[in-house]
């Protein structure tokens, strides 16, 4: 029985370094190739030695698919392709292809230039890696090879985020990457058709959360920012340069405009302007409203939001600063945080998920004394707020996607084990499908039951369809044919055609049975009696009285002869071929019972 | 399979393909050359046009002089311009299931089809096609609606009257079906029926047919279409280009192995080389401007204009034209320039790479930023304040019958310093100019048509090897004006089947197979038998399920226990279904072995007689006779079912079932 095997190398009961191996229909596909933000050692990248110990990765993997540009989904890519060594195709959408190398370079800079790590991938490696990338359109069916095809669906998580369907023959799997089921201010909602995959691999970041209405969250956010600014405090919003940042910028921009506020809003790093430019050029990937109005007013041209300079952090007075990265684990956001943390007038708003080990995670879990590098203790007096603006589907959204795609099996990744457990039960209960949640390195094997496609000769099909137009549940019509298997070509043809094609002669098997009946009349009259009897019984069949004095029932011939010895007995010769076996046998037994006295 | 040909214009096709159970319309082009028969619609009152003399019949009858005006020996209809629609009577258009659009020029008749024929299906097109198509339609509607014309001429259309008119009015076809332009509302309604698709996206139609758009290299989002089932493939090639301009290159490989290839939308100017034309365009433009004249470029708001602006971007500094203003005037000028920048995924590789930087893919962004290129919705408003001469104006409509271009023709036509440069190939430039004669301004004809020429077509056909080619009749003979140029026609084997307007072609197709799926349980139960080396056979008896045009074979249900029937058994319940055929048999029966087998099964009195063609085996006691020949066996016995079935099964042991 064919099977699908799935092994997470990362994101198995965890968030971070997403990397999932899928074997389907004899093809091996790697889904995402991310880094883990919680680690700085070997654990930050997936363990690629799992894939193959001594062979080349290129020989083993048919393709790599990257769902979106977040580093926990693509951060290990240059390491994987250039340092471990992979030369096969890497697929991602156009915006991902455009933005991914910039984030990788940023990541490299922080790691190598700031932290001084060696043995890390270089800028050249990022470039070489990107040369292996093939960009895909939404809904385009990409033929990876003769058998393996992939197709991207809109995921709405960040610009260019996609879900991917992987298909070999009639077996298929869908990997969601990260997705969002509710449209927001700049992106649309994830969408997939009823593609009924054998397996749906879905993220489950918010497996147990059902978020309140987005409007409330936004109002809350604006209120908190506004209050802090009013009392002269500074607001730090750690974000990743692309993604939530644009969403929150649009939100603040419109609010500032409406309230006519004067406090400055800054966006850190030079990445931002560039980032906004990407949004302008890839406007077709944003939501309907922005796409419709972009000619008149481009939502990504901000009036109130200015570029940030490091010196501004010490300026007196209120301000709002968007700074990267989003989990306060390094870079400018962390620097500003250290500066502002001691003042209770200030506020830090964490708008997204923080993985374990990051400063973001620590302060969100209530820690107020942080041990920084060099054993320094940082006391956090500023207000810490968490506001879920991550564009992940919540539990309701995940269920909605499962309903949309109608998979036979579901597999959860990119979430915490405890929460997954809960969602797993819910999915199994509601959809009656198997749900899996393998840990990293653990393999799940699913049996699939694909139908086998063959070609049927149109003559045979039409003949059968003409017969079986009204399907009768009680008595299903059987069709007969011969399957000719030559090389990999399977054709179902009528038996006659099969014989002809193979140059074989038909062997006719015929039966002739003698049925004795008592009848003193002449043979002709006997025949007439037989004829009317059969005519009345076999209403659905063709019964004919032929000029030569015989009776035909369909293709079965009945003749009457006199008995050689007994003039009161007539011998009916019933003759049929093997193909009419049932009817022939039935007729003989029917005639054996004798003829009714008065023809009815 | 049939092809209904609704348009006679080879580059603005409209065909309907009946394929399996589906009815698919391929493009709905609108033939706008009809407008050349009309007087231009001036934006501002033009004394010259309004004072043209009415036309009188030879006998002096002037009853048409309100409708027909004469200008420099040509006669024009003084009325709201009208377009020549695709044939609407040849086939009931409400039965069309889907419309496939290949590029934005080939969808201009869409509102006529979707809004007035009872059409209830879906239209498929790529996003750039829809967005730019919308701009073209909006511009057209705007051009016509902003200069309302009271008069709608119809007398001249009377067949008896038309006969008396001078050419080309006399020869205009189907004038009774000509229609006025649609409204904005109709445009919106038509466009709302479009479903967006991406290149290489497989779209299932009713489970019977799959359609796929492929990049055709001609314009932003332009596509060719594959229409296929599992065993048949039709390729529909419409406006395609192998030149490297801004769109994504043409996907040729996917057209391979077609049973039928429908070929439309070749270049309209097979003798002009687009690159040479662009060069000529630039040099003529520079020459005029240097001499203090103005340049008028009648154009569509999207398409070649992007390439022209890009050429000028590279050219103006070296040609010393940096101070000359370029104006692009169209109600959709701004939208068109902006939209061009956001379709990175549909652009050629070079332009895509720019977006990754991120930079706008088209340099016209920089021309706008540096104020070298300015765009206006119309000549009214800001433009009249900013307007400086000498200058270069890009504006529509290329037919010169409506749009801002009419104003500039009137304004600049009298001076020989000025030049009008025709780049769009859709209209004969001489016909376009006719109502403006006599003209002093220079006229340069640089048609830029990047669509396939005949050399490229024959190379393409050699490469993709379709079994049959279908094309408009115009392509099967040299152009009328160059009848000696045998190279300007399609040359393929077997010769292309040609069509003309209002014709129905039966496509040479023999469908022989259909896909069916065998369920795994059934597949497991099959017993393949190797008949010849490499060829195995298995007899299949199964239940056929057909739903949504998909066929599935399921294992036959296990014979269920006859229900403990309390109901009276009817005779008919026992009658076997004669449609349950037994398999065919093949092989032959070796008599000796057969006799041995009979004996082994307890028949002791077996006698064998030889006959001319075989043998007769006699079972004396049972009064049974078995005739065995090479290709047949005949069992003749008394009515002893048990015996007969035993003998049958023994015979079957020696035969193969099919």
């Amino acid at each position: 029985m064919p099977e699908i095997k799935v092994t997470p190398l990362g994101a198995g009961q965890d968030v971070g370094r997403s990397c999932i191996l899928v074997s389907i229909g004899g093809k091996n596909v790697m889904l995402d190739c991310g880094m883990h933000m919680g680690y700085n050692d070997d654990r930050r990248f997936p363990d690629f030695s799992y894939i193959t110990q001594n062979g080349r990765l290129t020989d083993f993997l048919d393709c790599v698919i990257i769902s979106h540009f977040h580093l926990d989904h693509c951060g290990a890519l240059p390491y994987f392709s250039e340092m471990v060594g992979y030369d096969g195709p890497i697929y991602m959408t156009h915006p991902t292809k455009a933005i991914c190398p910039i984030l990788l370079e940023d990541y490299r800079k922080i790691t190598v230039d700031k932290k001084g790590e060696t043995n890390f991938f270089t800028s050249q490696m990022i470039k070489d890696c990107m040369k292996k990338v093939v960009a895909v359109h939404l809904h385009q069916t990409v033929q990876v090879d003769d058998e393996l095809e992939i197709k991207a669906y809109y995921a709405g998580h960040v610009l260019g985020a996609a879900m991917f369907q992987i298909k070999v023959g009639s077996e298929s799997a869908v990997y969601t990457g990260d997705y969002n089921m509710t449209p927001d201010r700049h992106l649309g909602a994830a969408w997939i058709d009823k593609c009924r995959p054998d397996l749906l691999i879905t993220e489950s970041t918010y497996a147990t959360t059902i978020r309140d209405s987005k409007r409330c969250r936004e109002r809350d956010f604006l209120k908190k920012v506004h209050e802090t600014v009013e009392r002269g405090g500074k607001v730090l919003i750690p974000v990743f340069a692309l993604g939530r940042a644009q969403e929150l910028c649009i939100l603040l921009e419109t609010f500032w405009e409406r309230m006519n506020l004067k406090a400055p809003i800054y966006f850190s790093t030079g990445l931002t302007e560039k980032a906004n430019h990407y949004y302008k050029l890839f406007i077709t990937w944003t939501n309907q409203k922005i796409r419709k109005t972009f000619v008149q007013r481009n939502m990504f041209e901000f009036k109130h939001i200015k570029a940030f300079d490091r010196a501004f952090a010490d300026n007196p007075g209120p301000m709002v600063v968007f700074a990267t990265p989003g989990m306060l684990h390094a870079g400018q956001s962390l620097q500003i945080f250290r500066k502002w943390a001691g003042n209770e007038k200030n506020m830090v708003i964490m708008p997204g998920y923080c993985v374990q080990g990051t400063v973001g995670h620590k302060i969100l879990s209530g820690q107020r004394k942080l041990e920084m590098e060099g054993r320094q203790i940082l006391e956090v007096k500023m207000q810490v707020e968490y506001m879920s603006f991550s564009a992940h589907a919540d539990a309701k959204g995940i269920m909605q996607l499962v309903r949309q795609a109608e998979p036979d099996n579901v597999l959860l990744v990119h979430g915490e084990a405890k929460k997954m457990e809960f969602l797993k039960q819910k999915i199994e209960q509601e959809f009656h499908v198997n749900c899996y949640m393998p840990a990293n390195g653990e393999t799940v094997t699913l049996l699939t039951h694909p139908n086998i496609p063959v070609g049927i000769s149109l003559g045979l099909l039409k003949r059968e369809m003409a017969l079986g137009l009204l399907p009768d549940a009680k008595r299903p019509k059987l069709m007969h044919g011969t399957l000719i298997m030559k090389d990999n070509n399977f054709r179902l043809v009528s038996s006659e055609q099969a014989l002809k094609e193979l140059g074989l002669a038909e062997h006719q098997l015929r039966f002739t049975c003698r049925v004795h009946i008592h009848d003193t009349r002449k043979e002709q009259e006997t025949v007439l009696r037989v004829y009317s009897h059969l005519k009345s019984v076999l209403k659905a069949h063709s019964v004919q009285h032929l000029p030569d004095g015989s009776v035909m029932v369909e293709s079965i011939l009945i003749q009457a002869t006199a008995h050689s010895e007994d003039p009161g007995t007539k011998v009916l010769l019933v003759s049929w071929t093997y193909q009419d076996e049932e009817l022939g046998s039935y007729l003989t037994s029917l005639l054996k019972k004798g003829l009714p006295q008065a023809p009815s | 399979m049939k092809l209904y040909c609704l348009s006679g214009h080879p580059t603005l096709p409209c065909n309907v393909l009946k394929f399996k159970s589906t009815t698919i319309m391929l493009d709905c082009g609108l033939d706008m050359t009809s407008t050349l028969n009309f007087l231009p619609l001036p934006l501002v009152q033009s004394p010259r046009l309004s004072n043209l003399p009415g036309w009188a019949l030879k006998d002096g009858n002037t009853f048409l002089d309100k409708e027909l005006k004469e200008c420099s020996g040509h006669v024009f209809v003084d009325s709201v311009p009208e377009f020549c629609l695709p044939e609407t009577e040849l086939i009931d258009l409400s039965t069309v299931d889907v419309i496939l659009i290949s590029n934005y020029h080939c969808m201009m008749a869409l509102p006529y089809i979707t809004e007035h024929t009872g059409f209830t299906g879906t239209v498929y097109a790529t996003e750039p096609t829809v967005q730019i198509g919308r701009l073209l339609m909006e511009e057209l509607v705007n051009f016509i609606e902003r200069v309302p014309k009271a008069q709608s001429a119809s007398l001249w259309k009377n067949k008896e009257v038309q006969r008396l008119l001078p050419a080309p009015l006399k020869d205009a076809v189907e004038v009774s079906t000509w229609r006025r332009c649609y409204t904005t509302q109709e445009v919106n309604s038509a466009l709302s029926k479009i479903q967006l698709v991406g290149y290489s996206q497989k779209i299932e139609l009713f489970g019977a047919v799959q359609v796929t758009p492929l990049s055709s290299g001609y314009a932003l989002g332009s596509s060719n279409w594959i229409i296929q089932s599992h065993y048949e493939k039709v390729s529909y090639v419409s406006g395609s280009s192998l030149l490297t301009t801004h769109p994504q290159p043409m996907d040729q490989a996917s057209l391979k192995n077609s049973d039928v290839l429908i070929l439309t939308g070749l270049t309209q100017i097979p003798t002009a080389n687009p690159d040479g034309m662009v060069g000529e365009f630039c040099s003529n433009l520079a020459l005029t401007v240097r001499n203090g004249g103005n340049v008028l470029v009648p154009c569509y708001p999207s398409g070649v204009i992007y390439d022209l602006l890009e050429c000028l971007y590279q050219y103006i500094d070296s040609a010393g034209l940096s101070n000359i203003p370029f104006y692009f005037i169209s109600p959709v000028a701004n939208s068109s320039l902006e939209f061009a920048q956001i379709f990175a995924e549909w652009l050629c590789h070079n332009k895509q790479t720019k977006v990754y930087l991120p930079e706008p893919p088209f340099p016209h962004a920089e021309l706008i930023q540096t104020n070298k290129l300015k765009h206006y919705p119309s000549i009214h408003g800001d433009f009249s304040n900013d307007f400086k001469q000498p200058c270069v104006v890009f504006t529509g409509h290329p037919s010169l019958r409506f749009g801002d271009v009419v104003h500039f023709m009137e304004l600049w036509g009298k001076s020989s310093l000025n030049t009008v440069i025709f780049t769009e190939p859709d209209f004969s430039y001489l016909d376009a100019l006719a109502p403006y004669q006599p003209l002093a301004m220079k006229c340069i004809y640089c048609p830029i048509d990047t669509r396939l020429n005949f050399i490229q077509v024959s190379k393409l056909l050699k490469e993709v090897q379709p079994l049959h080619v279908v094309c408009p009749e115009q392509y099967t003979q040299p152009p009328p004006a160059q009848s000696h140029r045998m190279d300007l026609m399609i040359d393929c084997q077997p010769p292309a089947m040609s069509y003309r307007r209002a014709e129905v072609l039966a496509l040479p197709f023999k469908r022989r197979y259909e896909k069916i799926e065998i369920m795994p349980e059934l597949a497991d139960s099959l017993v393949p038998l190797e008949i010849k080396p490499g060829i195995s056979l298995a007899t299949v008896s199964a239940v056929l399920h057909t739903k949504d045009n998909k066929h599935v074979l399921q294992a036959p249900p296990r014979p269920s226990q006859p229900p403990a029937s309390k109901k009276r058994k009817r005779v008919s319940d026992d009658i076997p279904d004669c449609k349950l055929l037994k398999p065919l048999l093949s092989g032959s029966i070796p008599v000796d072995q057969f006799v041995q087998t009979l004996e082994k099964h307890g028949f002791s009195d077996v006698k064998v007689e030889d006959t001319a063609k075989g043998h007769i085996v006699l079972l004396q006691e049972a009064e049974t006779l078995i005739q065995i020949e090479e290709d047949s066996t005949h069992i003749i016995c008394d009515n002893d079912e048990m015996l007969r079935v035993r003998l049958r099964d023994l015979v079957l042991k020696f035969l193969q079932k099919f």
Side-chain angles (χ1 to χ4, degrees), chain B residues 131-164:
Chain B
Q131 298 297 2
I132 297 174
R134 174 191 293 277
L135 298 183
L136 292 184
M137 289 181 181
E138 280 175 0
E139 186 191 61
L140 188 65
V141 172
N142 183 291
F143 281 165
I144 305 247
E145 283 185 354
R146 72 182 175 187
V147 274
K149 191 150 182 130
Q151 173 157 277
S152 182
S154 58
L155 274 180
W156 71 276
K157 286 186 183 178
N158 183 310
K159 273 207 175 98
E160 293 308 307
V161 178
Q162 198 196 351
R163 230 162 25 90
L164 307 171

Side-chain angles (χ1 to χ4, degrees), chain A residues 3-204:
Chain A
E3 56 185 30
I4 299 178
K5 280 189 185 179
V6 185
T7 315
L9 297 185
Q13 303 181 1
D14 186 18
V15 176
R17 62 162 197 205
S18 284
C19 184
I20 299 133
L21 291 178
V22 175
S23 301
I24 177 170
K27 303 284 169 183
N28 298 314
V29 177
M30 189 164 103
L31 303 168
D32 278 338
C33 188
M35 54 80 99
H36 202 298
M37 315 223 187
Y39 300 115
N40 281 323
D41 51 20
D42 280 353
R43 289 173 296 174
R44 70 179 158 207
F45 291 151
D47 178 11
F48 298 115
S49 66
Y50 179 94
I51 302 174
T52 165
Q53 287 292 339
N54 29 35
R56 291 172 62 235
L57 286 173
T58 315
D59 299 333
F60 185 80
L61 290 173
D62 292 281
C63 74
V64 173
I65 294 170
I66 302 294
S67 64
H68 63 284
F69 58 64
H70 276 156
L71 288 173
D72 58 330
H73 292 260
C74 69
L77 199 56
Y79 169 76
F80 164 78
S81 74
E82 306 310 305
M83 297 174 78
V84 183
Y86 168 77
D87 297 319
I90 301 168
Y91 294 96
M92 50 179 87
T93 65
H94 283 268
T96 308
K97 186 183 174 187
I99 296 166
C100 174
I102 296 179
L103 296 186
L104 286 170
E105 181 58 30
D106 203 49
Y107 173 40
R108 190 199 66 79
K109 266 193 206 146
I110 290 178
T111 314
V112 176
D113 300 353
K114 296 231 171 94
K115 294 191 188 156
E117 277 191 51
T118 52
N119 196 22
F120 204 71
F121 54 76
T122 63
S123 298
Q124 188 56 43
M125 285 177 181
I126 298 174
K127 280 185 194 135
D128 292 340
C129 167
M130 293 314 291
K131 281 182 195 147
K132 298 170 185 171
V133 172
V134 182
V136 302
H137 291 241
L138 275 186
H139 302 163
Q140 171 191 11
T141 301
V142 180
Q143 214 70 47
V144 176
D145 59 34
D146 285 347
E147 289 152 338
L148 173 62
E149 57 181 52
I150 61 171
K151 178 177 177 181
Y153 290 92
Y154 192 80
H157 173 64
V158 286
L159 194 74
M163 311 193 268
F164 279 88
Q165 182 193 43
I166 305 138
K167 204 170 165 194
V168 181
S170 52
E171 290 174 275
S172 68
V174 168
Y175 172 58
T176 64
D178 293 355
Y179 62 101
N180 186 11
M181 294 298 284
T182 41
D184 59 23
R185 274 164 198 274
H186 79 293
L187 295 172
W191 179 86
I192 194 161
D193 52 11
K194 204 175 281 306
C195 56
R196 299 197 175 94
D198 294 296
L199 172 67
L200 174 75
I201 304 174
T202 173
E203 66 133 323
S204 49

Side-chain angles (χ1 to χ4, degrees), chain B residues 287-326:
Chain B
L287 192 70
T288 305
V289 175
R290 268 191 221 118
N291 292 334
N294 301 295
V295 176
L296 178 63
V297 187
C299 64
Y300 292 114
S302 176
V304 175
I305 183 167
Y306 303 141
D307 298 317
L308 291 179
L309 289 175
E310 184 156 2
C311 284
L312 290 171
Y313 168 79
Q314 291 155 0
Y315 183 73
I316 46 180
D317 286 329
S318 63
L321 304 175
S322 324
N323 298 321
I324 301 297
F326 287 76

Side-chain angles (χ1 to χ4, degrees), chain B residues 508-523:
Chain B
F509 244 94
K510 185 88 186 89
R511 292 186 53 219
R512 294 177 56 205
Y513 283 95
E514 177 73 274
K515 184 186 156 183
I516 194 165
E517 290 189 351
I518 297 184
M519 300 214 11
E521 303 78 45
L522 175 62

